[in-house]
Amino acid sequence: MKFFLDTALVDEIREGVSYGLVDGVTTNPTLVAKSGRPFTEVLKEICAIVDGPISAEVVSTDCEGMLREGRELAKIHDNIVVKVPLIAEGLKATRVFASEGIATNVTLCFSATQALLAAKAGATYISPFVGRLDDISASGMELVEQILDIYEAYDFSTEVIVASIRNPLHVLDAARMGAHIGTMPLSVMKQLMKHPLTDIGLANFLKDWEASQKKG
Ligand code: E4P
């Protein structure tokens, strides 16, 4: 399972990379706005830090606009993946991008039938938003399971990015289901490393070691 960092903050990306855990990065307009930096500048810096797929989202809502923006984004770096919203115009654009060899991440997916359409359009990645579904008392992980079943049944090459991850359980469930990728905030990536028994065990080992050294 690949881990992507879901952020446009380069300091967080550098920290994630220092753990050797970052296979790619996803951004969205909200995350870029939070960085307070110009979009292109931030993307170039992220591409210099991480050698993996970097998702950059278009903000047009018509196919022509998405194509114009996406082609410009794709020119920034070979690793750029054009993120397209899962609306009718987005599906049209995804098909054109696929024919031009431009990688796409179809985002804002909330149903398995939407995911089926994205795969049929030739999406490189699909992003079901599990946390936002959980927020409205629907099961985000059930959606991921349905998508994986459908993609397997038809042998689609579209990879599933479990997105809108809010906690380590989302990552555990995604891994058990065999989802290709999880994109998560740095805070969740760090939570995955932690266990109180590890900390207590280590503290005890060190205390016992120190005591034995004094005896000698
Ligand atoms: C990533 O591709 C998505 O844009 C992101 O995971 C959405 O997360 P959120 O629901 O926490 O905003």
Side-chain angles (χ1 to χ4, degrees), residues 77-153:
H77 195 283
D78 282 351
N79 285 342
I80 292 286
V81 174
V82 179
K83 216 170 169 197
V84 175
L86 213 163
I87 55 176
E89 293 295 297
L91 291 173
K92 284 192 217 169
T94 298
R95 190 170 292 281
V96 178
F97 284 134
S99 73
E100 294 176 357
I102 293 176
T104 50
N105 173 358
V106 178
T107 189
L108 289 166
C109 172
F110 293 97
S111 81
T113 43
Q114 283 184 314
L116 174 58
L117 300 186
K120 282 173 70 62
T124 316
Y125 302 101
I126 183 73
S127 286
F129 277 31
V130 297
R132 292 193 196 187
L133 277 171
D134 291 357
D135 288 346
I136 58 157
S137 300
S139 169
M141 293 316 302
E142 210 172 289
L143 169 62
V144 173
E145 200 171 18
Q146 290 172 359
I147 297 171
L148 288 169
D149 283 350
I150 294 169
Y151 283 10
E152 196 187 334

Side-chain angles (χ1 to χ4, degrees), residues 162-185:
V162 178
S164 187
I165 281 179
R166 303 271 163 82
N167 57 60
L169 267 186
H170 282 144
V171 181
L172 174 65
D173 290 341
R176 292 187 69 183
M177 285 175 194
H180 306 87
I181 300 145
T183 189
M184 64 200 82

